[in-house]
Amino acid sequence: FRHSDIIISTVFNAKDLKAVITQIKIETNKKFPHIKLLDISTIAPQESLALKQEFDDSFYIEMADTPISGSPLSVLSATASIFFGGNKATFESTHSILSLLANHVYFMGHNGSGLMMKLAVNALMLSGLNAFCESLNFCDKVGIKREIALDALLESAGSSPFLQGRKNHFLGKTQEQLSNPRIMQKDLEIFNTIAEQQSILHHSSKIASKMVNKIFHGQPVLDKDAVIHLLQTIQKQNEF
């Protein structure tokens, strides 16, 4: 990136993002004083803001949080969504580039707001997975065939693209990763921490977080056996 004025980064946490920014500073040596850094990762908004402030004070780099939302397939097909938090002029000047990665690029507002929106989407997605499994388990228990129940639920008003693309996981027909529990848990913890700090109701996300932690802790992927385990464990949610 020595000759780039726009850089896109994706990392796991704030520590990794700081390392990226530090390397940018070293490599560019202020050759490009108006570098735009678009970070499509999902990290804590306050950590992103702290990094922006730290490097704004010593090295001019215009940061924007631009987390991407979607499955790996939607990212590859550029049908994902991006939530932009940062300067409006930067949004307008980089929109065409971000549109190559996602067909929906939303301007959310100031720095940190893109990350807030992504956390809200992830909490909704995982809480929805929790409710979906409850409904599927209910159908199992009352004698409705799994395949028929899945078709009805996935085509219902309560479904979502996240669920619709994972039918084979619920049928136990694939070994492919449903979602990475480490990332799921990280994002839910950030969401719940912010909600606690601001006294925002977040009962469903707390249940989802405990479910993810209890069932998937220490597992690298969510495979078909874990899905079956999830369906069996859903009935015990009151323990949470």
Side-chain angles (χ1 to χ4, degrees):
F1 44 65
R2 294 180 180 179
H3 304 290
S4 302
D5 57 358
I6 297 176
I7 298 172
I8 298 176
S9 63
T10 177
V11 295
F12 180 72
N13 55 30
K15 179 181 178 181
D16 294 338
L17 181 57
K18 182 173 183 177
V20 169
I21 299 174
T22 300
Q23 190 63 28
I24 291 172
K25 179 179 178 180
I26 294 171
E27 293 289 337
T28 58
N29 195 28
K30 295 190 178 181
K31 183 177 181 180
F32 295 94
H34 298 287
I35 291 176
K36 298 179 178 67
L37 175 62
L38 310 177
D39 182 47
I40 63 174
S41 316
T42 305
I43 64 173
Q46 63 271 26
E47 292 180 326
S48 178
L49 289 170
L51 283 173
K52 180 184 185 303
Q53 183 62 44
E54 177 182 346
F55 285 92
D56 274 355
D57 290 344
S58 60
F59 172 68
Y60 187 81
I61 177 170
E62 187 169 353
M63 281 181 58
D65 47 282
T66 57
I68 192 165
S69 178
S71 66
L73 181 60
S74 65
V75 173
L76 289 174
S77 59
T79 57
S81 297
I82 286 177
F83 309 115
F84 188 104
N87 183 278
K88 185 64 178 292
T90 301
F91 169 76
E92 293 173 349
S93 66
T94 60
H95 185 276
S96 60
I97 294 175
L98 293 174
S99 294
L100 298 175
L101 302 175
N103 63 340
H104 297 294
V105 182
Y106 301 96
F107 178 73
M108 306 310 303
H110 55 76
N111 283 83
S113 59
L115 286 167
M116 291 291 193
M117 188 70 245
K118 173 64 183 297
L119 292 172
V121 168
N122 283 2
L124 172 62
M125 180 178 68
L126 295 173
S127 297
L129 172 62
N130 184 36
F132 182 86
C133 288
E134 283 188 338
S135 295
L136 188 57
N137 184 61
F138 175 87
C139 293
D140 284 345
K141 296 302 181 184
V142 300
I144 300 174
K145 290 184 178 180
R146 173 67 64 86
E147 292 83 354
I148 297 174
L150 270 174
D151 285 340
L153 289 169
L154 291 174
E155 294 301 321
S156 73
S159 186
S160 68
F162 172 75
L163 296 169
Q164 290 166 353
R166 289 159 173 81
K167 180 177 180 179
N168 285 337
H169 291 90
F170 293 105
L171 291 173
K173 291 183 177 180
T174 179
Q175 293 282 357
E176 294 180 3
Q177 179 174 325
L178 173 61
S179 192
N180 187 315
R182 184 184 180 207
I183 295 176
M184 290 164 63
Q185 186 65 11
K186 172 182 70 73
D187 294 351
L188 281 171
E189 286 178 352
I190 296 172
F191 178 91
N192 288 331
T193 297
I194 295 172
E196 288 280 358
Q197 292 171 344
Q198 300 192 24
S199 300
I200 300 171
L201 183 66
H202 59 294
H203 177 67
S204 295
S205 64
K206 285 195 292 186
I207 291 177
S209 180
K210 291 177 181 178
M211 178 189 71
V212 170
N213 186 58
K214 185 173 183 179
I215 299 175
F216 308 123
H217 182 68
Q219 296 184 12
V221 296
L222 176 56
D223 57 22
K224 66 177 184 179
D225 293 328
V227 170
I228 294 171
H229 189 187
L230 179 141
L231 293 171
Q232 294 171 340
T233 308
I234 283 295
Q235 301 170 73
K236 302 179 181 179
Q237 284 185 357
N238 288 336
E239 298 176 3
F240 298 155

